Amino acid sequence: MSGKGAPLVTGTVDGTGLDVVVVAGTWHETITDGLIAGAERAVTAAGASHRLVRVPGSFELPVVAKAALDAGADAVVALGVIIRGGTPHFEFVSNAATDGLTRVALDTGRPVGFGVLTLDDEAQGIARAGLEGSVEDKGFEAADAAIRTALVLRELRG
């Protein structure tokens, strides 16, 4: 969480005309709400249209992301929080969400901003959620990446 690996991205982009769907889980409300707020700030700053869709948890993100893209969205921002517990459930859900969202992006040819936090504890999530006192804003970063990628794809496809 040093921030040293953060992309060298400057300024906002013009996402006018893009339709972005933010798909967010409902677990860990404070962290998730911070991620949503960050994503919505990024989309609004880019001038893209957006809507929020809530799903029960991170496991459900891929199927709803695919439905949003199949319905015409230009990009999806997938937000979720998975905190490690004492059972293998953490690995199962983390892998399913990650692999599923990757598959959705490849199958649809449209970007899926990855804002799923896989955490050891709640404090790590608070630090990354874009809340007051947070050191990172992963919701913003995921949305910004999805918008920038949608614009690259638009340019490549003419």
Side-chain angles (χ1 to χ4, degrees):
M1 192 175 69
S2 68
K4 292 181 181 175
L8 299 175
V9 179
T10 58
T12 57
V13 293
D14 183 3
T16 303
L18 291 179
D19 177 32
V20 179
V21 177
V22 177
V23 182
T26 56
W27 285 82
H28 309 288
E29 182 178 13
T30 300
I31 299 168
T32 302
D33 286 351
L35 293 172
I36 292 167
E40 289 179 338
R41 278 194 307 277
V43 176
T44 299
S49 66
H50 69 283
R51 60 190 177 276
L52 173 65
V53 177
R54 300 301 296 262
V55 297
S58 294
F59 186 84
E60 294 77 21
L61 291 170
V63 70
V64 175
K66 174 118 175 20
L69 293 169
D70 286 347
D74 296 300
V76 164
V77 182
L79 306 174
V81 179
I82 310 167
I83 299 180
R84 186 180 307 277
T87 68
H89 187 257
F90 172 85
E91 283 80 13
F92 299 146
V93 174
S94 298
N95 289 337
T98 302
D99 294 347
L101 291 169
T102 301
R103 181 176 157 197
V104 167
L106 294 173
D107 287 354
T108 63
R110 294 196 193 123
V112 177
F114 189 78
V116 179
L117 302 184
T118 54
L119 311 165
D120 289 320
D121 56 47
E122 188 174 351
Q124 290 177 341
I126 298 294
R128 292 169 171 82
L131 301 166
E132 185 174 334
S134 293
V135 295
E136 295 180 286
D137 190 347
K138 294 300 184 183
F140 186 98
E141 291 176 19
D144 186 66
I147 292 165
R148 289 175 188 274
T149 304
L151 292 171
V152 168
L153 291 170
R154 178 189 280 174
E155 182 180 325
L156 288 172
R157 293 174 179 153

